[in-house]
Amino acid sequence: MVSASELEELARRAEVDGTAPRVGAIIDRAGQVLLLERHDSGPRKAPLKLPGATVKRGESLGEALVRGVREETGLVVTEISHHVGDFDYLSPDARPVRRLHFAVTVAAFEPIHLSAHARYVWAPLDGELAVTSSIRAILGAYRNLADH
């Protein structure tokens, strides 16, 4: 289980590095991970994403993670079990962002109620996932963690 002090240190490092923290949740159902599909209006299909949220001012990483999963899927996080990894990128308005990813346990895998996405899929971790290379690396790290 990830401790409050670990979460605080990750948030502090993001702040020191000048990055805005975002959180992503890996929800594993017997080797399948929950991925969300954005509403697509362009000619190219957007990659699938993990549920998550932008951390609001005054909110802890854990609070943001629980809120983001609840808001995007309706699922209730009961435990943050592992910090899996993170990556930095520039937001569309060119601000540095750090996306921190955590394996979580949820009270139940259904029902899923989407608020801002077109659909969801339970995708096998050992399959070819339609995600960005950064998310693919995070899921690879998670797979390695789960194997040990």
Side-chain angles (χ1 to χ4, degrees), residues 33-51:
V33 64
L34 179 63
L35 297 171
L36 306 177
E37 182 179 289
R38 294 177 179 96
H39 290 282
D40 197 4
S41 60
R44 292 187 338 180
K45 201 157 193 63
L48 300 173
K49 67 177 274 301
L50 294 166

Side-chain angles (χ1 to χ4, degrees), residues 18-37:
T19 58
R22 288 187 54 84
V23 291
I26 299 169
I27 302 169
D28 184 339
R29 183 184 74 178
Q32 295 182 322
V33 64
L34 179 63
L35 297 171
L36 306 177
E37 182 179 289

Side-chain angles (χ1 to χ4, degrees), residues 112-124:
I112 293 178
H113 299 288
L114 299 178
S115 63
H117 294 86
R119 69 182 191 101
Y120 68 90
V121 296
W122 288 100

